[in-house]
Amino acid sequence: MNRSRIFLVLVCLAAVLLLAVSPASHVPRANTKQAVMAYVQDAAKIVQKSGPSCATFASNEWKGGDYYIFVIGPDQKTVCHPNPEMVGKPSGEIVNAKGDKVGEKIVKMGMADGKGWVDYLWNKPGKTNDEPKSSYVMGVAGPDGKHYVVGAGGWDLK
């Protein structure tokens, strides 16, 4: 075998090994409602097993582009969110520019074992006006027996 073929084989083997040992990303690969639902369902399993794992959800495996996981706790305050200003904020204080109580809509959808889509206007990073956003949320019980609402959303979902 010549050197270029050996080099190519080694590069391919290195790529396969790198993929095998790197953690799998949970971030949606497609901008679809189905992909966001699967993303939230995976996060909900973690909250059910381990509680709100904010450090986990802040990792690159769980956060990317416009996608991130948020968790609202049993006291209806935000527990996990990539924006530190949102953490600890009561759901009743999460409002958009028009004053719509987005946080209350999200909590209401996730009450008990509720799940579903919440549509609202929200400021997209880099934009000056609120734009239509859809978030999928699920209510789950954590290992402490307390109720959490787990969710994620996106703009222009197909």
Side-chain angles (χ1 to χ4, degrees):
M1 244 197 251
N2 66 29
R3 289 180 190 230
S4 61
R5 282 191 177 186
I6 293 172
F7 178 74
L8 182 60
V9 168
L10 290 174
V11 168
C12 289
L13 284 172
V16 168
L17 286 172
L18 190 64
L19 288 173
V21 296
S22 66
S25 175
H26 296 275
V27 177
R29 292 192 174 126
N31 195 39
T32 64
K33 286 190 169 191
Q34 184 178 8
V36 172
M37 281 177 60
Y39 181 47
V40 172
Q41 290 165 348
D42 287 349
K45 289 175 189 171
I46 289 177
V47 173
Q48 287 174 312
K49 182 180 178 185
S50 307
S53 303
C54 300
T56 298
F57 298 140
S59 72
N60 290 337
E61 288 81 33
W62 284 93
K63 187 176 74 158
D66 289 336
Y67 298 112
Y68 58 87
I69 295 293
F70 61 84
V71 179
I72 298 174
D75 58 358
Q76 297 189 0
K77 291 182 180 178
T78 305
V79 177
C80 301
H81 197 284
N83 180 349
E85 293 177 12
M86 296 293 284
V87 175
K89 191 174 239 185
S91 60
E93 293 179 14
I94 300 172
V95 297
N96 63 14
K98 290 187 173 188
D100 294 332
K101 294 189 175 191
V102 174
E104 287 182 1
K105 290 179 183 181
I106 288 170
V107 168
K108 183 177 179 183
M109 181 62 75
M111 294 300 278
D113 291 331
K115 57 187 170 189
W117 290 95
V118 179
D119 298 317
Y120 52 96
L121 295 173
W122 199 253
N123 190 281
K124 186 174 183 177
K127 302 285 183 164
T128 55
N129 296 320
D130 286 350
E131 295 185 17
K133 184 174 185 179
S134 295
S135 287
Y136 185 74
V137 299
M138 294 180 66
V140 298
D144 56 4
K146 295 180 181 178
H147 181 76
Y148 296 90
V149 177
V150 181
W155 288 270
D156 302 317
L157 296 174
K158 310 289 183 252

